[in-house]
Amino acid sequence: MSANPKQWLTVKEAAEHIGVKVSTLYAYIGSRRIPHHKLPGSSLVRFNASELDDWIVSGKVETEDEYHSRTGLRKE
């Protein structure tokens, strides 16, 4: 990611931003798995770069150590 990212991204730019194919991104749009915006009165889709970044972060999977630290459960 660049230090000064563009705020609104096209489908192609958004696919590059999150590292997937355009066809995969369209599948995410169709299943409402990814935050996106449709321009009023149009079928054009745009993505907010910071929303995409937040979406990626929301999918973080805890490491085993993080899980045990959070829950207080010990490893066997």
Side-chain angles (χ1 to χ4, degrees), residues 62 64-74:
E62 288 182 316
E64 187 176 353
D65 288 339
E66 289 170 333
Y67 172 79
H68 292 295
S69 176
R70 180 178 58 79
T71 62
L73 299 174
R74 295 180 184 254

Side-chain angles (χ1 to χ4, degrees), residues 12-48:
K12 182 179 178 191
E13 291 168 334
E16 291 173 3
H17 186 81
I18 64 170
V20 299
K21 294 180 181 181
V22 169
S23 59
T24 301
L25 187 56
Y26 275 119
Y28 289 171
I29 294 167
S31 62
R32 297 179 176 257
R33 290 181 55 195
I34 193 165
H36 62 283
H37 301 263
K38 287 195 175 181
L39 299 179
S42 173
S43 61
L44 290 176
V45 176
R46 292 293 181 262
F47 298 86
N48 181 285

